[in-house]
Amino acid sequence: MSEKSTNAKLQDFLIGKRKEANLSQQQVANKSDAFGKKQILDQKAVSRLEKNPAYADAFKIAGYLNAIGAKPNEYFDFLKKINNTKEIEMEPNANIEYVQTLVDNKLKNLTEVSSELKQRECHYFKNEIETLIKKAQEALTHIVRKPTIGLFGSFDSGKSTLINTILGMDIIPASYTPATNVINLILHTSDRPTNITDQAIIFKKGFSPYMLHDENSVKEYMIASGNYDILQKHGTHNYEEEIESDAYLAIVFSDSDVLKNIWLMDTPGDMNTEDQSKGNTDTDKAISAAGLVDGIVYLSRFAGFFGNSDLGLASNILRAHPPIDTNNPTSHFMFVMSHCDNSHSKEEIERVKSVTFKRLQNQFNEFIFSPWESSTKRNISPQKIQLVDRTFPFWVENEEFSKQVINEILKIGNFLAETQKEKATKQANNILKALKGKITGFIAILENRKKGKDKRFKELNDQIKLFRSESEKLLKEFKNAIEDCNTFKQKDKDKILKFYSELSDFNYIKNIIEEHYDNKKDAQNQIGDLIGQILTVEIEKTLKKSGESISERVKDLLSKWNNIAPAVVEENTTGEFHCGISSCSTFDARAAFLGGLAGLGSLGAMTFFASSIITSNLGAYILVGQFAGILTSLGLVGSVTSVTSFVSAIGGPITIGIFLAALIGLSIFGISSSWQTSLAKKVAKELNKGKPKPKILNYIEKFWDNTHKAISMGLNNLQHETERHIKTMNQDIKSEYTPDELNKAISDMNQILNGIK
């Protein structure tokens, strides 16, 4: 439908409503109150608006609608009826179909294997194999997921409006004031578990989207469920009543065709000053949501594009998501210039893009691209032209803008789905490889039983004797590592406090201002963000360096433990961790250690440890008893990237940068003519008051306290599982076995093994 026909129908609607109210244009002007302001329109403005309503801004439309007694929703509902851009016919993505078919085939194969197992008279490890097959099937189902694309931005940047536009229906509450205060994850109705019939469910903090198929978790964390109305009640701010709410995440179901290929996530955006001092804040939710998404859409209002707190919020989110394809580093994100109404020419839009990213190029390099290069070990530095090309205008009344933004979001989804296809294939193969490795371990045990009781008794006693002797040394090293968490904590605190002292220096701040800003307005609006990001990056870099150090130390200790732990190892093998069919030990120290981490809210530096071994061989560990809990808590089940966000490592987002930006922002009014010097003095004064220091130290302490707890819990489980394993082996050597029975069982297991494709 052309813009002219849309405009004409809007004319008919507005003029018709005015005539129904029996009002003249002058009377409408007199009654045009909105947002606490009286008479925002005069008669000429009313006349212009009625001639070109498609080109009028939302502020004037609101005043007009208020004057004629029409509700805004009535206007926007009418707009959507005449604007058919949202009726998008979606064909299922071939890559998503491939993953579903791949998993369906492997699930069918395992069902056949399970049936075959039940028909065989296998007296050994039959129950264990059946349990492992069920775990493998459950693990396979987690692979089937759609790429999740998250919308981020400050309040009133239009996130909820854009999501409703993409869906073609009003589901997420959207208003002229900050609305959303929960993370909204929107899934297709076909993705809804069979035991759930409601349109929306509200959960408290601690629930992960990957727990949706676990009925017990749903019951434990659910606050409310029902139709879309509960999103207004539990998922939006009530500033008048200021009611505290535990609502954190909403899972929403829709039959929109777009959701056949992607999941969408809407995030809170009320980053106000008062918010920063409270727990469970919009800032926390918005940045923690970054750990749940694969693609990023960042929205900022066209007027003041990427001003105020945008740099800090966008940097925190993008920094945690290095490129999936380093040769195409911008393919997983895009920027949207929201509220870009039709009064702005294409030339003006292009100019704003160019000016913005010319201004921000150095900051993006420092706060996003340089950390990307550090984590990927690749040279990644998108240039201004690439950032401009990833930026698109949006205005709900503009059909061309809406189509372009939706198409670009779908392109991100297609790119991510292609990546998911490759990863899903690897994960599925790893899961079956791990299952076969476990069964191979059972075969090794049966082969070992052929040796006879006396020989097995001697071998086991020799192994236990060696273990008792060597494990004491390793236990001491483990405990030293645990105690060293306190040393790391103090060193990191001292380093950051020293950096903070340098950052607070007047001359340092003045140099930053002179280096980054050409005019007073930009400097005043953005200096808090800039200072906050400088500090945030330094905190992240410091904790990551020390955290990876102790992570490698724990990995080395676990490798040594595995080498001395009593175990049956298949003949002619190295005894390494689950390395497939040709080599398998019946004990795995890393898996035992990981089992102790299940259920912990945050792992501190052990996030790096968990992530490194999960990404190297996800299938081997997903079969561990409690390990699914760790996968879900880290958001790694079925993840497109399997890159653990640094947010997870510290048990919550580093919001210090945004907090600092808000703090500085309160103190920069009344700058004198020598604005660089005056602004630097005011910022230095605010920083030297020391208010941010406790918040900074709290993050560092939390990180290392969580690390201390995680290593302790992992070690406890390692010891427990080792002793349980030794007890099982001791019980086993008390029995004599009939060679014929063993050979029959081994033959049956080999048949089962060969049946797994």
Side-chain angles (χ1 to χ4, degrees), residues 11 231 255 292 307 339 454 537 663 734:
Q11 282 180 314
L231 298 176
D255 59 2
L292 302 173
H339 298 277
D454 292 341
V537 170
L663 194 66
K734 295 176 182 178

Side-chain angles (χ1 to χ4, degrees), residues 645-754:
S645 166
F646 190 78
V647 167
S648 300
I650 64 170
I654 293 183
T655 55
I656 185 64
I658 297 172
F659 168 78
L660 205 58
L663 194 66
I664 293 171
L666 296 175
S667 66
I668 60 174
F669 299 104
I671 302 301
S672 67
S673 57
S674 178
W675 64 268
Q676 293 96 335
T677 299
S678 181
L679 180 58
K681 285 180 179 178
K682 286 183 177 291
V683 172
K685 180 181 178 181
E686 195 63 40
L687 291 176
N688 281 303
K689 287 180 181 178
K691 287 183 180 180
K693 287 183 182 180
K695 194 174 183 72
I696 296 168
L697 298 180
N698 179 57
Y699 279 118
I700 298 171
E701 288 175 358
K702 182 191 293 185
F703 177 85
W704 285 110
D705 288 346
N706 288 335
T707 305
H708 186 288
K709 183 176 182 180
I711 300 176
S712 299
M713 296 294 286
L715 178 59
N716 287 341
N717 202 64
L718 173 64
Q719 291 178 272
H720 172 77
E721 289 299 313
T722 306
E723 293 302 324
R724 190 172 69 86
H725 178 71
I726 292 173
K727 183 179 179 180
T728 300
M729 294 185 72
N730 265 318
Q731 290 174 338
D732 187 65
I733 61 171
K734 295 176 182 178
S735 303
E736 287 280 9
Y737 297 94
T738 306
D740 289 345
E741 250 192 9
L742 291 173
N743 287 332
K744 176 66 168 62
I746 291 170
S747 175
D748 284 346
M749 283 194 193
N750 278 318
Q751 289 294 321
I752 296 300
L753 197 64
N754 293 332

Side-chain angles (χ1 to χ4, degrees), residues 76-329:
F76 288 112
D77 286 345
F78 176 77
L79 177 64
K80 288 178 181 178
K81 286 180 182 178
I82 63 173
N83 187 345
N84 62 5
T85 61
K86 289 75 184 177
E87 299 299 323
I88 300 175
E89 290 296 327
M90 296 291 301
E91 292 294 330
N93 187 288
N95 292 305
I96 295 172
E97 285 190 326
Y98 170 88
V99 173
Q100 184 66 63
T101 302
L102 170 76
V103 169
D104 286 344
N105 288 338
K106 293 193 180 298
L107 287 173
K108 181 181 178 183
N109 172 237
L110 290 183
T111 299
E112 293 170 350
V113 169
S114 180
S115 178
E116 173 73 16
L117 178 65
K118 290 175 182 176
Q119 294 175 22
R120 291 183 175 273
E121 296 181 3
C122 181
H123 299 296
Y124 306 117
F125 303 113
K126 188 172 185 177
N127 292 337
E128 288 85 347
I129 295 174
E130 285 182 347
T131 299
L132 286 171
I133 289 174
K134 288 179 182 177
K135 286 186 178 181
Q137 288 174 318
E138 182 183 355
L140 285 167
T141 59
H142 283 304
I143 293 174
V144 182
R145 66 178 286 267
K146 296 163 187 173
T148 302
I149 298 178
L151 277 66
F152 299 87
S154 297
F155 79 87
D156 200 29
S157 60
K159 301 183 296 295
S160 300
T161 298
L162 177 53
I163 281 196
N164 288 336
T165 303
I166 298 168
L167 298 176
M169 59 188 79
D170 285 334
I171 292 179
I172 306 301
S175 68
Y176 294 109
T177 56
T180 305
N181 75 336
V182 297
I183 301 166
N184 289 297
L185 179 61
I186 304 100
L187 283 59
H188 195 268
T189 49
S190 62
D191 300 314
R192 181 168 50 192
T194 54
N195 61 300
I196 295 174
T197 57
D198 290 321
Q199 293 177 316
I201 310 175
I202 307 289
F203 295 100
K204 60 187 176 182
K205 191 171 185 179
F207 186 84
S208 165
Y210 315 110
M211 298 177 185
L212 191 60
H213 292 270
D214 181 349
E215 289 188 46
N216 291 330
S217 294
V218 170
K219 290 178 182 177
E220 179 183 354
Y221 289 96
M222 184 172 67
I223 293 174
S225 66
N227 57 28
Y228 297 138
D229 291 344
I230 69 166
L231 298 176
Q232 182 70 48
K233 180 179 179 181
H234 295 277
T236 61
H237 283 287
N238 188 329
Y239 291 101
E240 293 181 0
E241 298 182 17
E242 296 185 354
I243 299 173
E244 292 293 327
S245 173
D246 291 331
Y248 197 85
L249 171 71
I251 303 288
V252 186
F253 300 100
S254 164
D255 59 2
S256 171
D257 282 349
V258 171
L259 299 173
K260 291 178 180 177
N261 292 342
I262 59 175
W263 292 345
L264 292 170
M265 182 173 285
D266 183 29
T267 59
D270 188 6
M271 314 301 173
N272 60 56
T273 310
E274 183 182 3
D275 181 33
Q276 304 307 316
S277 62
K278 300 176 182 178
N280 203 32
T281 67
D282 275 13
T283 311
D284 288 334
K285 292 172 187 173
I287 302 178
S288 64
L292 302 173
V293 302
D294 309 301
I296 295 164
V297 178
Y298 191 88
L299 290 85
S300 178
R301 294 177 64 97
F302 179 79
F305 184 58
F306 253 91
N308 299 325
S309 62
D310 281 320
L311 175 64
L313 185 58
S315 296
N316 273 295
I317 293 162
L318 286 169
R319 190 163 56 243
H321 285 78
I324 300 166
D325 178 2
T326 53
N327 294 318
N328 190 7

